[in-house]
């Protein structure tokens, strides 16, 4: 079971993550969305497509753009459509 935690809370937990470029992508149904806030940040990956971000908010503290996902990835990354990955101090183990 892989778990993503930040600031003492579990953000996601799954035994069905997908590893892409050394990042664990969690299935959408495994995400505790009450901690995620839509961000206006977007980036583009040449082979995955347009990436959207979430900020994480726990107990009044915000971790800006600390989660990301590809809502409609390119064909090469269709297996992670809607899956969420974490960084910026989020512990994934």
């Amino acid at each position: 079971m892989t778990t993503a935690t930040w600031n003492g809370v579990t953000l996601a937990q799954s035994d069905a993550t997908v590893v892409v470029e050394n990042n664990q992508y969690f299935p959408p149904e495994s995400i505790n969305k009450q901690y995620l806030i839509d961000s206006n940040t977007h980036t583009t990956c040449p082979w995955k497509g347009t990436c959207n971000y979430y900020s994480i908010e726990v107990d009044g503290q915000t971790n800006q753009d600390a989660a990301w996902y590809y809502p409609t990835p390119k064909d090469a990354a269709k297996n992670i459509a809607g899956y969420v990955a974490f960084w910026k101090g989020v512990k994934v183990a």
Side-chain angles (χ1 to χ4, degrees):
M1 186 71 66
T2 305
T3 304
T5 57
W6 184 72
N7 221 22
V9 301
T10 299
L11 302 172
Q13 189 170 43
S14 177
D15 58 2
T17 61
V18 176
V19 178
V20 177
E21 297 179 327
N22 295 320
N23 293 301
Q24 297 276 350
Y25 283 79
F26 290 81
E29 64 275 6
S30 72
I31 306 297
N32 292 323
K33 293 191 178 184
Q34 70 266 28
Y35 300 113
L36 303 184
I37 302 165
D38 285 320
S39 170
N40 290 325
T41 302
H42 301 281
T43 57
T44 302
C45 172
W47 71 273
K48 290 183 290 236
T50 301
C51 181
N52 294 2
Y53 289 81
Y54 292 116
S55 293
I56 300 168
E57 188 172 290
V58 175
D59 294 331
Q61 293 186 344
T62 302
N63 192 345
Q64 189 70 33
D65 297 336
W68 75 92
Y69 67 101
Y70 294 86
T72 53
K74 293 182 177 183
D75 287 342
K78 286 222 181 268
N79 63 321
I80 59 165
Y83 280 49
V84 178
F86 299 93
W87 65 328
K88 292 190 173 182
V90 175
K91 182 179 179 185
V92 177

